[in-house]
Amino acid sequence: MEQAATALSFGGKQLRFKHHSTVLNCEMHFSLFLPPQATAGSVPLLTWLSGLTCTDENFVQKACAQRAAAEYGVAILAPDTSPRGECIADDPDGGWDLGLGAGFYVNATQAPWAEHYQMYDYVLEELPSLVAKEHSVDLSRQGIFGHSMGGHGALSIALKNPSRFRSVSAFAPICAPLHCSWGEKAFSAYLGADRSLWAQYDSCELIRRSTERLPLLVDQGSGDSFLETQLKTPLLASACKDSDYPSTIRMHDGYDHSYFFIASFMDEHIAFHAQHCAG
Ligand SMILES: N[C@@H](CCC(=O)N[C@@H](CSC=O)C(=O)NCC(=O)O)C(=O)O
């Protein structure tokens, strides 16, 4: 693991690393914020999953997360959104919703994607273990959150692994990839034509199948241009209601899909995770 950048921020450190991922079979970058409390002992680890077209750097530069992370004493790990490199398969039609920057946090089973697109295992297993080997983060106190495609990733990964996380939250998540064109395009490429295999990564399906409960917070802007076509927040609200899954799903008048929205509520998400990851 090679350090690519470091900067002090609110008494903590904003770091960027390059490493070889054995799971993804390529070179990757990721970012890690360590709060000042990490110099005295291990701190909870929050994983942030970004949306379509992002790298690890969008969150670092635009989410305004460092001040609250330093205040509450939590580390934030920000992975990239897909495998990277010239040899990595990409959307043959040049779209930004498949391939590079659009890994959807699943383990692809189909050619040509399966060779590198294993983002589920990378985010859940390889990266936190790698970080914990070299930094004082406590893997028994983890939260996960994300935006849009990353909100889908955070919800689905947490719902599939409730014993690994204390809390989950999302900004404008893709709530039901089985029922939107972004999800249908990505899942048919990565997972194949059998839709029954897609359900293992669909948050609404996972809520309906769940037996354990995690604290769950979702924020959504009413002025988000993707709300009706791609995100479908009401489907998540219905799944939670039908399954008696406790959740806080908040609509915010006029907010759009951008990082301006994310930054506006970032402090509340970090406080939410810090509360559940304490002790
Ligand atoms: N590049 C596209 C817009 C893509 C976009 O809006 N990406 C969002 C995530 S969408 C769902 O996963 C994003 O986070 N963008 C990065 C940012 O810094 O805003 C276009 O040209 O329309």
Side-chain angles (χ1 to χ4, degrees):
M1 187 159 94
E2 175 190 323
Q3 190 168 295
T6 179
L8 292 180
S9 181
F10 297 95
K13 276 188 188 166
Q14 184 61 64
L15 304 162
R16 190 166 198 240
F17 296 97
K18 183 179 178 186
H19 77 119
H20 179 79
S21 163
T22 49
V23 166
L24 302 178
N25 192 19
C26 64
E27 300 298 307
M28 294 294 288
H29 281 92
F30 68 88
S31 289
L32 177 69
F33 178 75
L34 289 176
Q37 294 85 341
T39 56
S42 67
V43 295
L45 179 66
L46 308 187
T47 295
W48 168 268
L49 302 181
S50 288
L52 293 165
T53 73
C54 290
T55 69
D56 55 305
E57 293 194 292
N58 296 67
F59 171 78
V60 170
Q61 294 166 1
K62 296 167 89 173
C64 301
Q66 290 88 354
R67 194 204 56 74
E71 179 185 339
Y72 289 100
V74 294
I76 305 183
L77 170 62
D80 204 341
T81 53
S82 74
R84 296 285 177 180
E86 286 184 8
C87 63
I88 306 294
D90 197 7
D91 185 351
D93 299 325
W96 50 267
D97 50 3
L98 180 69
L100 297 176
F104 269 82
Y105 306 105
V106 301
N107 286 338
T109 56
Q110 305 297 302
W113 310 102
E115 193 182 346
H116 298 282
Y117 283 76
Q118 302 292 324
M119 288 299 289
Y120 176 84
D121 281 349
Y122 178 64
V123 164
L124 179 68
E125 308 287 358
E126 184 180 21
L127 202 47
S129 301
L130 179 72
V131 167
K133 270 189 202 144
E134 302 207 9
H135 300 282
S136 37
V137 296
D138 180 355
L139 296 188
S140 72
R141 292 186 290 154
Q142 289 193 71
I144 188 164
F145 61 156
H147 171 230
S148 196
M149 174 185 73
H152 137 73
L155 290 169
S156 57
I157 288 172
L159 290 165
K160 283 164 78 66
N161 301 280
S163 61
R164 299 279 282 273
F165 298 96
R166 300 266 190 103
S167 48
V168 58
S169 76
F171 295 86
I174 300 171
C175 293
L178 261 71
H179 301 291
C180 70
S181 59
W182 281 346
E184 288 177 319
K185 178 175 173 179
F187 283 13
S188 56
Y190 297 145
L191 305 175
D194 181 353
R195 293 177 72 101
S196 68
L197 299 175
W198 303 3
Q200 62 179 309
Y201 294 111
D202 183 285
S203 299
C204 291
E205 289 296 325
L206 289 165
I207 292 268
R208 291 183 191 283
R209 295 172 183 190
S210 65
T211 51
E212 292 175 55
R213 268 63 182 128
L214 276 175
L216 190 159
L217 168 67
V218 168
D219 279 320
Q220 174 63 55
S222 70
D224 186 327
S225 57
F226 297 123
L227 173 55
E228 283 180 22
T229 52
Q230 306 290 355
L231 309 176
K232 303 190 185 243
T233 317
L235 294 184
L236 182 68
S238 297
C240 289
K241 186 163 180 273
D242 296 347
S243 314
D244 285 325
Y245 198 109
S247 61
T248 303
I249 300 175
R250 310 187 299 193
M251 290 300 293
H252 298 280
D253 226 15
Y255 281 91
D256 66 13
H257 199 62
S258 72
Y259 267 85
F260 293 114
F261 163 59
I262 295 171
S264 302
F265 298 97
M266 179 53 67
D267 287 8
E268 291 178 48
H269 282 241
I270 290 175
F272 166 79
H273 288 288
Q275 178 199 339
H276 293 290
C277 291

